[in-house]
Amino acid sequence: MKQFIAFVRKEFFHIFRDRRTMLILLGMPIMQIILFGFAITTEVKNVRVAVLDPSNDVVTRRIIDRVDASEYFTVIRRLHSPEEADHFFRSGDIDMAIVFSERFSDNLYTGETGVQIISDATDPNMATMQAGYATNIISMTGQEMLPPGVRASAIVPKLLYNPQMKSAYNFVPGVMGLILMLICAMMTSISIVREKETGTMEVLLVSPVKPLFIILAKAVPYFVLSFVNLITILLLSVYVLHVPVAGSLFWLIAVSLLFIFVSLALGLLISTVTRTQVAAMLVSGLMLMMP
């Protein structure tokens, strides 16, 4: 065990001496979890809206004010013709246009009013969500303006598991697995290859330590550092991105440690069948990350 511990210490020293390796091991997970959590989002926020309101009555003004007051939309333009809407869509100045029918307030009680929501469907999913949000706001505001006894069709959305539509709830768990596999598999895939390229693998093999312990000695430091990354990712997810851990924290960590062990084993497997560090990085990236 003294020899094994000496090899583990040697591998730790080898990792700590390389600043680039330490940056990849400890810095990349923090950057990825923050970037993926904040930058990649499917939430509807600050949608630029233009309004075509030929009637310009109290009802349409109240609907427009309600849309503008929402955190999802920002009314930036008033249009005078449908051609203007097409122009601003083509120039990329607006994301959505709301078109009211003429004499909107007079026809509200007869049900002959009409509202057209025009969305930029370059991103179909985002356009669908934007139109849905706008439809709900307009429907609720129109219902508030109706007198007692006159009821409009009720629209009751129901969202399971993520009623706030926070994209971080969706991205962060997947990014956790991505980071752990990236760090574990990619780093261990070059550990043995590095020894081959520098010519020190033969020195290790003729040492009085069994080859199995040499492999384990290379895996232990990465396992420890991956566990540190796991704790860092969990803390960032809960306290920075506000993603709750709804299940058992114990079993989440237990399964993550098993995942780390399997990723380390895959990295070591790649490291034994490749001859250069570049080849090991390419194989680990193509075979593990891309799928």
Side-chain angles (χ1 to χ4, degrees):
M1 288 304 297
K2 290 183 179 180
Q3 294 172 336
F4 174 69
I5 293 174
F7 269 83
V8 171
R9 290 181 59 193
K10 187 272 296 183
E11 195 66 25
F12 266 114
F13 291 147
H14 191 76
I15 295 172
F16 291 152
R17 278 201 305 264
D18 191 348
R19 292 185 178 180
R20 291 175 298 179
T21 302
M22 289 299 299
L23 183 62
I24 294 175
L25 282 169
L26 301 178
M28 185 182 293
I30 296 176
M31 293 300 298
Q32 282 186 316
I33 198 72
I34 292 177
L35 288 176
F36 277 98
F38 283 113
I40 300 181
T41 175
T42 57
E43 297 175 20
V44 177
K45 281 186 177 180
N46 300 322
V47 179
R48 297 168 299 172
V49 179
V51 177
L52 177 59
D53 182 15
S55 60
N56 193 26
D57 53 46
V58 63
V59 178
T60 57
R61 287 196 296 270
R62 182 167 180 177
I63 292 175
I64 294 170
D65 291 340
R66 186 68 62 85
V67 171
D68 193 28
S70 169
E71 63 175 332
Y72 311 118
F73 305 101
T74 302
V75 178
I76 62 172
R77 293 186 182 276
R78 295 297 182 101
L79 305 176
H80 301 90
S81 67
E83 289 75 17
E84 286 188 5
D86 183 67
H87 169 72
F88 289 124
F89 272 122
R90 290 178 179 274
S91 61
D93 293 334
I94 61 174
D95 303 310
M96 176 186 293
I98 300 177
V99 181
F100 293 94
S101 61
E102 296 183 359
R103 301 180 61 187
F104 188 89
S105 180
D106 297 337
N107 297 328
L108 181 65
Y109 307 103
T110 62
E112 297 178 358
T113 56
V115 180
Q116 185 181 33
I117 299 175
I118 307 172
S119 298
D120 182 3
T122 306
D123 185 344
N125 294 330
M126 185 62 69
T128 302
M129 286 191 292
Q130 293 172 358
Y133 279 45
T135 300
N136 289 336
I137 295 174
I138 294 171
S139 298
M140 289 187 293
T141 308
Q143 179 63 52
E144 293 174 359
M145 300 296 290
L146 291 174
V150 179
R151 298 185 60 85
S153 300
I155 302 175
V156 183
K158 185 178 182 181
L159 305 174
L160 298 177
Y161 311 121
N162 188 8
Q164 295 174 324
M165 296 293 288
K166 288 188 176 181
S167 58
Y169 290 1
N170 214 11
F171 282 108
V172 169
V175 174
M176 288 174 60
L178 183 69
I179 291 173
L180 292 177
M181 178 168 283
L182 176 68
I183 297 300
C184 301
M186 192 168 290
M187 290 295 98
T188 53
S189 66
I190 64 174
S191 60
I192 296 178
V193 177
R194 183 173 55 227
E195 302 284 0
K196 292 179 184 179
E197 286 188 333
T198 56
T200 56
M201 193 64 190
E202 291 78 5
V203 178
L204 295 177
L205 291 176
V206 298
S207 63
V209 180
K210 294 182 180 180
L212 175 62
F213 288 109
I214 295 177
I215 300 298
L216 290 177
K218 287 191 167 296
V220 167
Y222 293 105
F223 186 86
V224 174
L225 292 174
S226 297
F227 180 73
V228 174
N229 280 330
L230 173 63
I231 300 301
T232 304
I233 291 170
L234 288 176
L235 291 176
L236 286 173
S237 301
V238 174
Y239 294 106
V240 177
L241 299 173
H242 306 293
V243 178
V245 180
S248 171
L249 181 62
F250 170 79
W251 285 113
L252 175 61
I253 294 177
V255 173
S256 298
L257 292 177
L258 177 62
F259 184 81
I260 290 172
F261 176 77
V262 174
S263 299
L264 291 173
L266 288 173
L268 291 173
L269 175 63
I270 294 172
S271 187
T272 56
V273 299
T274 53
R275 297 190 177 186
T276 63
Q277 296 186 51
V278 175
M281 295 284 285
L282 289 175
V283 172
S284 62
L286 295 175
M287 293 184 61
L288 298 179
M289 300 308 302
M290 293 304 294

